[in-house]
Amino acid sequence: EGVPSTVPTEEQLHILRRLNAAEAFERFLNTKYIGAKRFGIEGAESAIVICDTILDEAAKAGITETVMGMAHRGRLNVLANIVGKSYKEIFRDFEGDLDPSTVQGSGDVKYHKGFNGKFEGPSGKDIKVTLAANPSHLEAVDPVVEGITRAKQDLLDRGAEYPVLSFLMHGDAAFAGQGVVAETLNLSQLRGYRTGGTIHLVVNNQVGFTTNPDEARSSVYATDVAKMVQAPIFHVNGDDPEACLRVARLAFAFRQKFHKDVVIDMVCYRRMGHNEGDDPRLTQPKMYERIDNRRTVRKLYTETLIKRGDISLEDAERAMEDFSARLSVALEETRSTAAPKFESVPPAPTERLLPEVATAWNDREVLDRILDVVTGGPEGFNVNPKLERVFDARRKLYADGQVDWALGEMFAYGTLLLEGHDIRLAGQDSGRGTFGHRNAVLVDAETENEILVLNRLEGRQGRFFVYDSLLSEYAALGFEYGYSVAAHDSLVVWEAQFGDFVNGAQIVIDQFLSAAEDKWGQTSGLVLFLPHGYEGQGPEHSSARIERFLTLCANNNMQVVNVTSSAQLFHVLRRQLKRAQRKPLVIFTTKSGLRAPWSRSAIGDFTDGRFQLVVDDPTLDAEAAASVRRVLLCSGKVAFDAIKARDERSAPAAIVRVEQLYPWPEEQLATLFAERYPNATEVGWLQEEPENMGPWTFVHSRLHRLLRDDYTLDHYARVASGSPAAGSDSLHRLEHADLMQRAFDGLS
């Protein structure tokens, strides 16, 4: 007190206006919606000053857009006072303004929703702001924001300018406790993931729900995890808004100068409990005795300004009353239009297949050119001799009219690139491919120079990005999801090193991939490559958990396929961008089939045709089909094992591959049974997985509904188990032989 401020008077008044706005908003909501959950910002109002300052600095620096991510604490306040969501829109959420036509359970609570707005700063400059939607998993949005930011930067294509700013707000307990924070920090300087520096604001209210800091972390500071990337960490008193302003400017200047992450640790408090219906005095009585007796940030700062003689008390209170009056007007306008109410449970939506589209590529010369660029480097490039032998075999196979798995994938990418689409492929070892099949990135055997083979196509083409990721699933998949949200016309593919490990990103799958469209209207065309198949490699290298994805399927929220040929892969990847709708696509990819003859396709399957939801038994002519008594439906490579076992036994059975599991191809199956197998009396589902895993639990009711009047339904699977597969190769083989025996039991 009594020390002159280094902040000019106009900026002091702007700080006060920001604090007025922040406190008035919370006070108004607390008065009008008593007890309603809003996760208010009371005690941390200086966060609004920091946000205001950073966005104004960004606008002045020519940043085109800021992408923000935050949990629920203070979200409504940030939406109203920073992002530009109108009070009327926010109040509609409190008034229960929902769409009665939506399916029961859709939508989300008001403090999870995102928004696209415009921030107008005191400098007179404005900037676009995207606040990403976020579930209750507090830090799950971090990599999503980074992915959205990177996609927007790639689309602008302005290189090291990094013209889009990522800005993340965190709670102290979550920043210290959630491992995805460290994973996301580890993305920050990697070639495939850098966004030019993220500004992190930790709203450190010194308690996590009811947990004290000494039970929430082992580090001294909540922000110590950021030391892993040598990010500067500024600790600032949340009750000193002028210091917060200075620190915000310093943080932004650091980001602009060094393009690295920077952290602001704003030490403050939480005036209410975890939510407005919670009583924190049950667990922190002494802390809340002090908080109850503490004047608000606005009052403290107002008193400081008055003591300096900058403003009068009457001026300060008048500004506050005027702001509250404007909020009241907005509320009355909202209530003058009655919100639609649910009078009955909405009808279940009809699940239907998305329209099929043309995906063939009928220009053989272009395919020839793609083959040339993916099986060698430019003149003077030294291809590894071992790899050269692989390429020679691939060229010979193509000359004989056959396309293997890797070339089929490259054909899909190459043709999409030539149609002007960008492609981003990322994952653990995706450049070479975990199983050494892809080789989308070639490394000179002598110089170690790298080339991305498909960036060498002739003529105008999209950009081909391939990145080996950090050894992460959670942050890596979150990043690719965010990228796909912003880059709707690009093919974005994330590949798990082994499909089993995708469960390390289960939160992203549950909260974003499967539910984001229902909750927030947020669409994504992200593709997941998940290697899957029982090869005797033990429980951790067999199953990508098909059953988990199928459990999440409803209302056409995503697509789940298990493709078994190079042409099928080609068509389903091209279909992903040819359709107008963007839905996530989960592809269970073969492992042994990467080099197996059964996964090869004829060149004509690429220049003609489209993705087949169901693939009929290719070995049966019409006469043989008429004698079939049992139709075995399969998904994946087990179909080819079954064909071999069937032929050895000369059993009257057909082996049909269900290549798309969701949306379920019921009509195609019904037509196939009626037209091709009129004398069959039995239908069986055959799978490699244990009975409680794989597709069986999903397809059972669907097959029963389809077949119950005309066929006997059975299934053949491994015994139910808590582990996906046997650890012994010999036991695996015995189980497989038993599975084949049961599948054809009773057929002579």
Side-chain angles (χ1 to χ4, degrees):
E1 291 183 7
V3 178
S5 172
T6 59
V7 176
T9 301
E10 182 51 42
E11 288 186 359
Q12 293 172 348
L13 294 173
H14 181 70
I15 289 172
L16 181 58
R17 287 192 292 270
R18 294 285 78 198
L19 295 175
N20 277 347
E23 184 175 321
F25 182 80
E26 300 293 353
R27 183 186 295 182
F28 178 84
L29 292 181
N30 193 46
T31 301
K32 296 295 184 182
Y33 301 105
I34 298 172
K37 286 185 182 180
R38 53 187 167 83
F39 297 95
I41 205 172
E42 294 101 321
E45 289 90 346
S46 288
I48 297 298
V49 175
I50 291 176
C51 292
D52 181 273
T53 304
I54 288 172
L55 267 64
D56 192 46
E57 292 296 309
K60 290 190 292 185
I63 297 290
T64 62
E65 184 175 355
T66 298
V67 183
M68 295 183 66
M70 65 182 298
H72 42 265
R73 175 75 53 214
R75 189 181 190 90
L76 298 178
N77 211 306
V78 169
L79 280 167
N81 289 312
I82 299 297
V83 184
K85 187 172 184 178
S86 71
Y87 304 127
K88 191 181 282 191
E89 290 175 288
I90 291 173
F91 295 152
R92 281 201 186 105
D93 292 334
F94 279 95
E95 296 291 316
D97 190 354
L98 301 173
D99 181 357
S101 66
T102 58
V103 69
Q104 185 181 26
S106 67
D108 204 350
V109 291
K110 49 191 167 289
Y111 37 81
H112 286 175
K113 294 180 179 180
F115 194 76
N116 296 317
K118 183 173 72 173
F119 170 81
E120 298 179 1
S123 65
K125 303 284 187 179
D126 58 54
I127 185 173
K128 289 171 57 181
V129 187
T130 296
L131 178 61
N134 190 38
S136 287
H137 297 68
L138 300 176
E139 300 293 337
V141 78
D142 298 358
V144 175
V145 164
E146 301 298 342
I148 293 172
T149 303
R150 176 60 180 258
K152 289 177 179 288
Q153 291 178 348
D154 283 349
L155 290 170
L156 290 170
D157 198 18
R158 282 161 48 183
E161 287 183 39
Y162 301 109
V164 180
L165 171 68
S166 51
F167 179 21
L168 291 172
M169 294 176 64
H170 315 265
D172 51 319
F175 196 75
Q178 294 288 301
V180 71
V181 173
E183 289 188 29
T184 305
L185 286 167
N186 205 13
L187 295 173
S188 63
Q189 291 300 305
L190 301 181
R191 179 181 60 172
Y193 301 89
R194 65 169 69 104
T195 57
T198 297
I199 299 177
H200 302 265
L201 169 58
V202 177
V203 179
N204 188 346
N205 55 37
Q206 305 172 75
V207 61
F209 204 151
T210 65
T211 304
N212 290 316
D214 59 353
E215 294 174 307
R217 63 178 186 267
S218 295
S219 58
V220 175
Y221 295 103
T223 51
D224 281 350
V225 65
K227 292 178 179 178
M228 64 180 282
V229 292
Q230 297 180 315
I233 302 168
F234 301 107
H235 306 280
V236 64
N237 180 0
D239 272 358
D240 186 347
E242 291 186 5
C244 290
L245 177 142
R246 291 194 296 269
V247 161
R249 285 181 174 160
L250 183 58
F252 180 78
F254 178 89
R255 187 268 183 187
Q256 289 299 92
K257 176 68 175 177
F258 299 106
H259 295 301
K260 293 184 177 181
D261 284 36
V262 56
V263 179
I264 300 171
D265 177 22
M266 190 187 79
V267 182
C268 54
Y269 60 91
R270 187 187 69 193
R271 186 165 290 276
M272 302 288 190
H274 174 68
N275 61 61
E276 286 66 30
D278 178 51
D279 187 357
R281 292 155 193 82
L282 300 176
T283 49
Q284 283 85 18
K286 290 186 177 180
M287 173 188 280
Y288 276 86
E289 182 180 1
R290 293 180 178 180
I291 290 173
D292 288 342
N293 293 324
R294 187 166 188 80
R295 295 188 297 281
T296 66
V297 180
R298 180 192 67 86
K299 287 183 178 179
L300 290 172
Y301 190 58
T302 300
E303 290 169 5
T304 299
L305 292 180
I306 291 171
K307 287 178 181 177
R308 291 176 183 162
D310 295 324
I311 64 171
S312 68
L313 180 61
E314 290 77 12
D315 290 337
E317 292 300 332
R318 192 178 303 114
M320 186 73 174
E321 290 168 3
D322 175 67
F323 200 85
S324 294
R326 286 195 282 142
L327 287 172
S328 293
V329 170
L331 177 63
E332 290 307 315
E333 290 177 358
T334 302
R335 285 182 170 167
S336 66
T337 304
K341 302 295 183 183
F342 288 100
E343 296 180 355
S344 61
V345 175
T350 302
E351 293 193 348
R352 58 174 61 91
L353 296 174
L354 295 173
E356 289 302 317
V357 290
T359 53
W361 185 272
N362 56 21
D363 190 339
R364 171 68 184 270
E365 290 184 1
V366 170
L367 299 184
D368 294 345
R369 171 60 183 157
I370 294 172
L371 173 71
D372 288 341
V373 301
V374 301
T375 56
E379 186 175 351
F381 188 89
N382 302 291
V383 176
N384 183 288
K386 182 177 179 180
L387 197 54
E388 187 61 63
R389 290 193 293 273
V390 172
F391 290 161
D392 285 342
R394 187 163 292 157
R395 295 187 199 102
K396 184 177 184 303
L397 190 67
Y398 184 76
D400 292 337
Q402 295 290 303
V403 176
D404 68 4
W405 186 275
L407 184 55
E409 182 184 348
M410 291 297 110
F411 279 168
Y413 297 154
T415 53
L416 287 171
L417 288 167
L418 289 171
E419 290 174 327
H421 298 286
D422 290 344
I423 295 173
R424 176 184 168 93
L425 168 64
Q428 299 152 352
D429 310 295
S430 289
R432 189 198 72 175
T434 297
F435 304 98
H437 71 290
R438 178 178 294 119
N439 300 297
V441 178
L442 295 183
V443 180
D444 190 293
E446 296 182 9
T447 66
E448 290 197 357
N449 290 334
E450 293 184 355
I451 59 169
L452 275 69
V453 292
L454 285 173
N455 279 333
R456 297 176 50 239
L457 296 172
E458 293 178 350
R460 299 186 63 180
Q461 66 167 88
R463 295 167 296 173
F464 187 48
F465 303 111
V466 183
Y467 300 108
D468 289 343
S469 76
L470 72 169
L471 199 62
S472 154
E473 288 82 36
Y474 190 170
L477 181 55
F479 188 99
E480 303 308 327
Y481 172 81
Y483 196 102
S484 70
V485 166
H488 257 215
D489 290 327
S490 301
L491 183 70
V492 185
V493 182
W494 178 74
E495 182 176 53
Q497 186 180 61
F498 294 95
D500 315 58
F501 301 159
V502 70
N503 57 10
Q506 197 65 46
I507 289 172
V508 177
I509 295 164
D510 291 345
Q511 306 301 327
F512 292 93
L513 204 70
S514 71
E517 186 173 4
D518 260 4
K519 293 191 295 188
W520 312 313
Q522 182 169 283
T523 58
S524 161
L526 180 63
V527 178
L528 271 61
F529 277 173
L530 305 181
H532 177 86
Y534 282 58
E535 317 283 1
Q537 297 298 307
E540 304 307 325
H541 295 285
S542 296
S543 176
R545 299 289 191 173
I546 290 178
E547 66 279 357
R548 289 183 179 166
F549 287 93
L550 293 176
T551 298
L552 296 170
C553 289
N555 307 330
N556 284 26
N557 61 335
M558 56 183 172
Q559 309 156 89
V560 177
V561 301
N562 193 355
V563 296
T564 53
S565 75
S566 59
Q568 284 285 83
L569 181 65
F570 170 84
H571 288 296
V572 80
L573 287 173
R574 285 182 51 78
R575 186 182 76 170
Q576 191 67 357
L577 288 187
K578 290 298 180 182
R579 279 177 172 161
Q581 304 93 336
R582 292 290 178 262
K583 304 281 184 179
L585 171 62
V586 181
I587 304 180
F588 294 98
T589 62
T590 181
K591 289 183 283 189
S592 61
L594 294 175
R595 295 174 176 83
W598 51 256
S599 72
R600 298 169 186 166
S601 298
I603 294 174
D605 293 337
F606 295 82
T607 57
D608 195 8
R610 60 181 56 176
F611 181 68
Q612 299 179 66
L613 309 183
V614 178
V615 178
D616 190 17
D617 193 322
T619 66
L620 301 179
D621 58 21
E623 182 180 353
S627 66
V628 164
R629 288 165 43 198
R630 181 180 299 169
V631 178
L632 288 177
L633 301 177
C634 313
S635 182
K637 77 174 185 66
V638 70
F640 299 95
D641 297 329
I643 288 174
K644 180 181 178 183
R646 185 270 315 275
D647 292 347
E648 291 172 348
R649 293 166 172 81
S650 299
I655 314 301
V656 174
R657 284 172 276 159
V658 181
E659 299 271 300
Q660 178 168 293
L661 290 162
Y662 189 83
W664 177 247
E666 182 166 327
E667 183 178 336
Q668 285 77 1
L669 286 170
T671 301
L672 184 69
F673 290 139
E675 295 181 357
R676 277 277 285 170
Y677 305 110
N679 298 315
T681 58
E682 305 172 35
V683 174
W685 179 266
L686 172 64
Q687 65 179 38
E688 298 179 288
E689 301 87 353
E691 185 174 12
N692 58 321
M693 301 176 192
W696 169 242
T697 54
F698 174 81
V699 304
H700 181 196
S701 61
R702 289 165 172 81
L703 285 175
H704 181 69
R705 182 175 61 243
L706 174 65
L707 306 171
R708 60 191 170 196
D709 295 333
D710 302 303
Y711 302 90
T712 300
L713 176 63
D714 207 341
H715 67 284
Y716 311 95
R718 281 176 165 81
V719 174
S721 171
S723 174
S728 161
D729 181 61
S730 59
L731 180 56
H732 160 78
R733 293 176 184 276
L734 287 171
E735 289 178 341
H736 187 74
D738 174 69
L739 182 62
M740 292 296 107
Q741 179 62 38
R742 288 187 285 115
F744 298 101
D745 189 37
L747 294 177
S748 60

